[in-house]
Amino acid sequence: MADKSDITLYTTQTPNGIKISIALEELGLPYKVHKIEFSKNAQKEPWFLEINPNGRIPALTDTFTDGNPINLFESGSIMQYLVSRYDTEYKISHPPGSREWYEMNNWLFFQNAGVGPMQGQANHFTRYAPEHIEYGVNRYQNETRRLYGVLDKHLDEKKIPYLTGEKCTIADIAHWGWIAAAGWCGVDIDHFPALKAWEERMAARPALEKGRHVPDPHTVKEVLKNKEETEKHAAESRAWVQKGMQEDADKLRR
Amino acid sequence: MSTKPIRVWLAPPGPNPWKVILVLEELQIPYEIVSIKFEDIKAKPFIDLNPNGRVPAIEDPNTGLVLWETGAVILYLVEQYDVVKKLTYGTVQEKSHVQQWLMFQISGQGPYYGQGSWFHVLHSEKLPSAINRYVEEAKRICGVLEQGLTDKRWLVGDKITLADLAFVPWNDRLDVVLMCPAECKFNDFPRVKAWHESMVARPSWEKAMENGMPKQVSNMEEYLAKIKVKKNTRAEAEGS
């Protein structure tokens, strides 16, 4: 029997945020949601920096086994915490110390150190940057394509439904929101058939369907189908991204 | 039964493999280095070990495990060999915080410092707004570390862990990222400076660097300069 939880998830509608709500839904754990308003820069407010000094989402608080609060940030470490503590039946993980556990961590780190940062830079240069730099757009779109190619080849050659075999784990969940948003950074998922099939397989999971709409509806796929809607969404995001960059820079110069 | 040496595949110039070497040195685990050239990391036989074509990867003959991604590798080494919990904790709370800072290193410090050095060292065209983006981000990351070290010597608890060690190789070349003299790189971050200096003074780092830098090269700038010269020469040759 897993411990009793008292989880609050601090999040917004982004590929990193929904990793946690999807994992929580897959585990069937109750949780409260605290929406962080990026447009109001809530992620840089002192109370939130107490929870996450990095000023990024997601973050999570819980009551630990000793009765005291625990604060966590970094999506990858939050997912490792959730499965270490609550996934006693290995629904979305493998037994610690097993070969599959280490392989799961391998792909989890690949997402957090590779796909996330590189696709994030592709988003920046494609959608948010103050000036258009063709070189930056190409560099990061190509790197994202290269990383997608690694995933596509792995799934295709091993003929496995999920990254570590027959079971969907936190390594798969970590990737989903990013792969589902491929078009946002200008990468065409149709060039990666095994990965595309994996994305659709993931999307068919009821817990994913529930978890992806936290704290707001997940609309990136629909938005991308409509060019006007895409540009409107990009303009809104561009405004707060550039504002945040300026404020960070000013603070460091003080 | 004695531990057979762990085989570490690496290409010396990058900072990431040295995280793994640092942990091996700290834990006194026997290892052997298979050094490959930069141009061979996306070719066989290496991509059979790591389909991502990035160093490092390890082969552990004791367990038969092949593993890549530095974060996953050092967590494995500690779980498998650090029985006395020298570089981690046994309790979920502390262990979670160790993983949290490790994730911040691999998804924050590594990628941003890496892109920063790309744009002003390795990329031939100078793009001020791109350079500025990564310089500011590197400073922001140091600011987060500075705050994380408030009233503390180490990131988690009262001892050095794998989370502290993971930051060393990239912080050691922060001056390249910020384009400033080596002695000024931690100017706004005194706690980060003291923390970093205490770690590079450890025998593990000295040993790693003994193995690490290619011969005839004493520091990273020299090495990067060498690559740059080679690249320019080649570009000129192609242009003429």
Side-chain angles (χ1 to χ4, degrees):
Chain A
M1 181 61 199
D3 302 321
K4 204 165 167 289
S5 67
D6 176 31
I7 295 168
T8 301
L9 169 62
Y10 300 83
T11 192
T12 192
Q13 179 49 259
T14 73
N16 289 329
I18 62 175
K19 289 174 188 175
I20 311 303
S21 45
I22 293 170
L24 286 163
E25 294 293 343
E26 288 278 0
L27 290 170
L29 287 170
Y31 59 103
K32 293 188 277 290
V33 176
H34 188 125
K35 182 177 164 180
I36 300 293
E37 300 270 6
F38 276 10
S39 57
K40 294 181 189 145
N41 233 2
Q43 76 278 16
K44 307 282 174 182
E45 286 174 14
W47 70 269
F48 185 69
L49 292 174
E50 283 291 311
I51 297 170
N52 181 1
N54 193 26
R56 296 274 171 101
I57 64 94
L60 179 143
T61 58
D62 194 3
T63 301
F64 199 62
T65 45
D66 58 10
N68 294 319
I70 181 167
N71 297 339
L72 292 163
F73 60 96
E74 280 292 324
S75 61
S77 100
I78 293 172
M79 290 200 291
Q80 286 184 324
Y81 167 80
L82 291 175
V83 297
S84 300
R85 187 164 164 201
Y86 298 110
D87 193 13
T88 48
E89 293 162 16
Y90 310 121
K91 283 189 209 162
I92 52 166
S93 63
H94 297 285
S98 65
R99 172 180 293 274
E100 291 77 14
W101 166 266
Y102 293 120
E103 287 168 355
M104 176 184 85
N105 276 348
N106 194 147
W107 290 106
L108 179 66
F109 277 88
F110 174 82
Q111 195 289 317
N112 280 271
V115 175
M118 293 302 114
Q119 193 170 336
Q121 302 317 298
N123 284 341
H124 177 82
F125 283 100
T126 308
R127 302 281 180 194
Y128 314 135
E131 59 174 319
H132 181 82
I133 300 175
E134 192 61 23
Y135 172 78
V137 172
N138 292 337
R139 170 172 172 79
Y140 294 109
Q141 285 183 351
N142 286 337
E143 181 61 8
T144 304
R145 287 187 191 104
R146 191 188 70 76
L147 293 163
Y148 277 30
V150 173
L151 291 165
D152 189 65
K153 189 162 175 254
H154 173 68
L155 290 164
D156 185 48
E157 284 182 354
K158 298 258 163 71
K159 302 272 174 263
I160 43 178
Y162 298 103
L163 290 170
T164 60
E166 295 300 316
K167 184 167 30 179
C168 168
T169 69
I170 53 174
D172 297 281
I173 295 170
H175 281 90
W176 184 79
W178 287 93
I179 308 296
W184 185 250
C185 76
V187 169
D188 186 354
I189 191 70
D190 287 338
H191 296 159
F192 307 94
L195 187 61
K196 190 183 179 199
W198 167 91
E199 189 276 310
E200 288 163 0
R201 194 174 303 123
M202 290 289 289
R205 298 175 70 84
L208 185 143
E209 179 53 30
K210 217 171 152 199
R212 78 184 174 109
H213 299 298
V214 174
D216 298 315
H218 179 258
T219 56
V220 66
K221 285 178 164 178
E222 290 74 32
V223 166
L224 283 167
K225 281 180 196 145
N226 180 332
K227 212 173 165 216
E228 206 176 296
E229 199 50 31
T230 303
E231 196 27 59
K232 187 173 155 254
H233 194 78
E236 283 166 13
S237 307
R238 196 153 46 230
W240 66 254
V241 168
Q242 290 182 13
K243 185 166 163 265
M245 283 167 65
Q246 190 56 48
E247 283 173 5
D248 277 347
D250 291 347
K251 212 175 333 173
L252 287 164
R253 267 188 280 276
R254 247 176 255 145
Chain B
M1 212 179 72
S2 64
T3 309
K4 291 182 216 149
I6 289 167
R7 203 167 306 129
V8 185
W9 292 67
L10 56 78
N16 285 322
W18 305 107
K19 276 192 248 176
V20 172
I21 301 297
L22 263 184
V23 169
L24 288 163
E25 286 288 345
E26 286 283 342
L27 295 176
Q28 296 285 299
I29 303 169
Y31 66 94
E32 58 190 30
I33 289 177
V34 185
S35 187
I36 56 174
K37 287 186 192 143
F38 232 9
E39 54 264 40
D40 292 334
I41 63 173
K42 288 185 183 168
K44 277 177 181 289
F46 186 66
I47 55 163
D48 291 332
L49 294 175
N50 180 1
N52 193 26
R54 292 284 170 96
V55 287
I58 64 158
E59 291 176 281
D60 185 348
N62 304 289
T63 58
L65 189 74
V66 172
L67 206 60
W68 43 281
E69 278 294 327
T70 51
V73 170
I74 62 180
L75 282 181
Y76 165 72
L77 292 174
V78 165
E79 281 172 33
Q80 187 75 17
Y81 296 104
D82 188 11
V83 283
V84 297
K85 308 268 187 260
K86 186 182 173 212
L87 297 180
T88 186
Y89 292 92
T91 44
V92 179
Q93 179 144 8
E94 280 79 14
K95 206 172 130 183
S96 297
H97 282 144
V98 168
Q99 284 168 347
Q100 166 189 288
W101 286 106
L102 175 63
M103 284 285 181
F104 176 64
Q105 191 282 316
I106 61 105
S107 74
Q109 188 212 30
Y112 281 110
Y113 283 27
Q115 298 316 304
S117 28
W118 173 267
F119 273 106
H120 54 68
V121 182
L122 294 170
H123 183 53
S124 50
E125 181 195 355
K126 295 294 164 242
L127 299 164
S129 72
I131 291 172
N132 187 47
R133 167 173 173 76
Y134 295 106
V135 165
E136 293 298 334
E137 187 61 19
K139 288 185 191 162
R140 197 190 70 79
I141 284 163
C142 286
V144 173
L145 289 171
E146 184 73 5
Q147 202 194 326
L149 291 165
T150 310
D151 302 325
K152 276 159 67 198
R153 218 180 133 202
W154 307 108
L155 289 172
V156 186
D158 55 4
K159 68 174 186 192
I160 188 168
T161 67
L162 62 92
D164 300 291
L165 291 168
F167 285 92
V168 172
W170 271 118
N171 269 347
D172 205 54
R173 55 182 73 172
L174 179 62
D175 43 325
V176 179
V177 181
L178 299 181
M179 296 175 291
C180 68
E183 63 277 16
C184 301
K185 64 181 172 184
F186 292 122
N187 266 0
D188 297 325
F189 313 103
R191 291 192 286 264
V192 176
K193 182 172 195 271
W195 170 68
H196 179 75
E197 284 172 357
S198 73
M199 289 193 284
V200 293
R202 293 171 78 89
S204 57
W205 179 251
E206 283 169 17
K207 192 80 193 298
M209 285 302 93
E210 225 168 80
N211 287 331
M213 286 296 162
K215 288 200 180 69
Q216 306 107 29
V217 177
S218 58
N219 62 42
M220 196 56 208
E221 287 112 281
E222 269 181 41
Y223 194 80
L224 291 174
K226 237 181 138 153
I227 296 174
K228 208 172 148 188
V229 168
K230 210 169 138 191
K231 203 175 142 190
N232 289 346
T233 317
R234 199 165 52 219
E236 275 164 26
E238 278 164 9
S240 62

